[in-house]
Amino acid sequence: MLAKRIIPCLDIRDGKTVKGINFENVIDVGDPVELGAKYASDGADELVYLDITATLEGRKLFADLVRRISEHLNIPFTVGGGIDRVEDADLLLSAGADKVSINSSAVRDPGLVDRIAGGFGKQFVVVAIDAQWKDDRWTVFINGGRIPTNRDLFSWAREVQDRGAGEILFTSMNHDGTRSGYACEALRELSQQLTIPVIASGGAGSKEHFVEVFEYGLADAALAASIFHYNEIPVPELKDYLKKANITIR
Amino acid sequence: MKVAIIKYNAGNIRSVDHALKRVGVEALITDDHETILAADRVIFPGVGEAASTMAYLKERELDVLLKGLSCPVLGICLGQQLMCSWSEEGDTACIGIFDQVVRHFPTNGQKVPHMGWNSLERVNGELIPAELSGSYVYFVHSYYVPVCEDTAAECSYILPFSAAMQRDNFYATQFHPEKSGDPGELILKQFLKL
């Protein structure tokens, strides 16, 4: 049976790991390669590294970092942040990344999804979507959740699927940082509407939240950051718990 | 030991190189015929699309070279698929080491690509140690090789398919040993010992 995936997410600024709380107020929580290797040996199924650097020098550091991560990590990892062109994706994939995640750049230039998928294959393209539930609809936001768009979560997800996305990483802005559980209703709807895997993000605070997101939310993978970084829920403990709850876990 | 990794227009070749380094082997990434012929082990990795990668291989006559190799050869993911005779992906004639047609997963409500960790069943042959039966390894693919006489391990997703294959000196895995944690490293080590 295909196992549900547990994915720690590491935010990177200037080559170092940080974690944003509600996309603001970041603090340093360690060396990205070291932290990644620890997660891999703990049983994490995959990792996501998001570059939140705004400068060119930071971007260069990130590409170097991706190479080092690839040298040390024996599990798959996705990288994202600042990928605006096919060339950016090419650089990171050549450095050893397994997938690239694109978010705002896909909203600004939807053809980017087609071009990266066409050039490297669908399995390389994760489209990350930040959305907020407000006034009875899920509105897609860009620029780290700062700018609302006129797009709706579900129609945007279907569009990028048709354009060649291999996976959707959906972050509920209402749930992110709250530790009150994932947006299971929206995830369930999303998973039922799509034919590609869905990664749930935003809201993990307890082991029970992971059971909910897999069983009710129908997520294929669940991503979290702070509960792992601060070792509140160690990955091995979480996986034991999920196995006992009869979730298929590696 | 000289290990050659076939260099072509497929993705993720670098990760195979990195994985070999982790098990203590310096490999050459090359498309040079002489270098490949002189190698003790050849790895044919790849993530990508069948038609364009086959066109690239044919242009450089790497398809004929690969088929004629007598040292242990390991195809990974797209590598396994291209070692078959035909792929439904772009209706592509492939190398023809395994006499099989590569098919797209039927899309009957389940998600495609098959992406993530899945378990190895019915393990046989020399590449995958028997103790890894039931172990989880990492897959990413939309096309599969049916279970056949060359199947060396099975996996089930939508239907049972060839997770690994073997014929003479040719070995192949649909999963990515270079991304499959400790079981993957054991398999790479085993390949180097064959």
Side-chain angles (χ1 to χ4, degrees):
Chain A
M1 279 263 286
L2 180 62
K4 299 288 190 183
R5 286 171 281 156
I6 300 296
I7 309 180
C9 176
L10 297 84
D11 287 351
I12 306 297
R13 177 177 286 167
D14 298 325
K16 284 186 174 175
T17 314
V18 293
K19 163 58 189 163
I21 312 274
N22 278 330
F23 299 102
E24 301 286 341
N25 305 327
V26 289
I27 55 170
D28 194 335
V29 285
D31 172 56
V33 177
E34 204 180 313
L35 197 53
K38 182 196 173 294
Y39 284 135
S41 68
D42 270 4
D45 297 304
E46 210 170 308
L47 295 176
V48 171
Y49 286 92
L50 285 182
D51 183 26
I52 55 171
T53 307
T55 62
L56 270 176
E57 299 81 62
R59 288 283 151 73
K60 170 119 190 355
L61 277 177
F62 188 60
D64 293 341
L65 176 64
V66 169
R67 185 165 290 105
R68 284 203 296 130
I69 294 165
S70 170
E71 282 167 7
H72 287 89
L73 213 60
N74 61 9
I75 60 168
F77 69 101
T78 300
V79 298
I83 300 165
D84 297 330
R85 305 166 306 157
V86 174
E87 291 79 4
D88 301 328
D90 193 9
L91 181 71
L92 296 169
L93 294 171
S94 312
D98 295 286
K99 308 173 200 175
V100 293
S101 159
I102 55 175
N103 190 332
S104 309
S105 55
V107 174
R108 284 192 290 261
D109 172 16
L112 184 64
V113 180
D114 306 62
R115 295 196 299 278
I116 299 178
F120 307 101
K122 290 185 178 195
Q123 69 277 4
F124 281 118
V125 191
V126 180
V127 174
I129 305 176
D130 298 332
Q132 188 181 56
W133 174 254
K134 202 182 172 187
D135 302 330
D136 288 333
R137 70 190 287 262
W138 281 99
T139 301
V140 175
F141 277 65
I142 57 170
N143 288 24
R146 285 188 289 270
I147 303 174
T149 69
N150 56 12
R151 290 183 183 275
D152 155 80
L153 166 66
F154 301 105
S155 61
W156 176 232
R158 286 195 307 272
E159 178 179 339
V160 295
Q161 171 178 282
D162 293 343
R163 287 178 177 277
E167 274 181 301
I168 299 292
L169 196 175
F170 162 50
T171 303
S172 162
M173 294 168 57
N174 305 70
H175 296 72
D176 196 53
T178 65
R179 302 182 178 225
S180 59
Y182 291 94
C184 289
E185 289 292 343
L187 281 158
R188 185 181 175 87
E189 178 64 28
L190 195 59
S191 202
Q192 285 172 336
Q193 287 196 20
L194 299 177
T195 59
I196 55 176
V198 174
I199 305 168
S201 161
S206 74
K207 288 177 276 193
E208 184 56 38
H209 293 154
F210 287 85
V211 176
E212 284 167 14
V213 80
F214 292 136
E215 280 190 343
Y216 187 77
L218 305 176
D220 298 282
L223 178 144
S226 37
I227 56 158
F228 296 135
H229 299 329
Y230 304 120
N231 215 28
E232 288 162 21
I233 304 178
V235 176
E237 192 183 307
L238 173 61
K239 291 189 115 180
D240 278 349
Y241 181 85
L242 293 174
K243 275 179 197 162
K244 284 182 189 133
N246 286 322
I247 308 278
T248 306
I249 284 289
R250 175 170 71 105
Chain B
M1 177 181 288
K2 281 181 284 188
V3 179
I5 300 173
I6 306 283
K7 179 181 166 187
Y8 69 119
N9 59 334
N12 247 18
I13 289 174
R14 188 64 61 191
S15 3
V16 175
D17 184 36
H18 290 157
L20 288 170
K21 280 202 183 80
R22 289 194 295 271
V23 300
V25 172
E26 283 290 332
L28 284 165
I29 302 175
T30 179
D31 59 2
D32 176 59
H33 285 217
E34 292 293 313
T35 312
I36 295 166
L37 285 167
D40 304 304
R41 295 288 185 279
V42 172
I43 298 184
F44 180 41
V47 175
E49 188 273 326
S52 58
T53 46
M54 267 315 293
Y56 184 98
L57 292 168
K58 278 189 172 156
E59 199 179 303
R60 287 157 185 79
E61 296 178 351
L62 288 166
D63 55 332
V64 178
L65 179 85
L66 270 166
K67 197 176 181 178
L69 289 172
S70 54
C71 71
V73 176
L74 174 62
I76 297 174
C77 192
L78 179 66
Q80 169 173 293
Q81 298 181 3
L82 296 183
M83 283 159 81
C84 294
S85 46
W86 187 267
S87 175
E88 283 186 356
E89 188 176 19
D91 277 327
T92 307
C94 299
I95 297 171
I97 292 162
F98 305 119
D99 186 18
Q100 291 298 319
V101 174
V102 181
R103 303 194 181 280
H104 194 277
F105 276 118
T107 44
N108 47 2
Q110 293 198 67
K111 291 176 176 177
V112 175
H114 172 221
M115 183 181 287
W117 298 78
N118 205 332
S119 51
L120 294 173
E121 311 296 341
R122 296 174 195 275
V123 171
N124 65 82
E126 300 152 35
L127 179 66
I128 304 177
E131 75 222 49
L132 293 185
S133 187
S135 291
Y136 280 87
V137 289
Y138 187 75
F139 291 87
V140 185
H141 59 126
S142 301
Y143 293 80
Y144 71 96
V145 183
V147 172
C148 62
E149 57 179 8
D150 295 330
T151 300
E154 291 183 23
C155 178
S156 277
Y157 184 71
I158 301 177
L159 42 74
F161 65 88
S162 293
M165 301 175 81
Q166 180 184 345
R167 172 171 286 259
D168 306 323
N169 57 313
F170 293 96
Y171 303 82
T173 63
Q174 180 58 63
F175 57 92
H176 290 273
E178 76 279 15
K179 289 287 165 185
S180 293
D182 296 339
E185 289 185 356
L186 265 178
I187 292 165
L188 288 176
K189 281 182 187 159
Q190 181 64 22
F191 175 68
L192 299 169
K193 276 192 266 177
L194 288 170

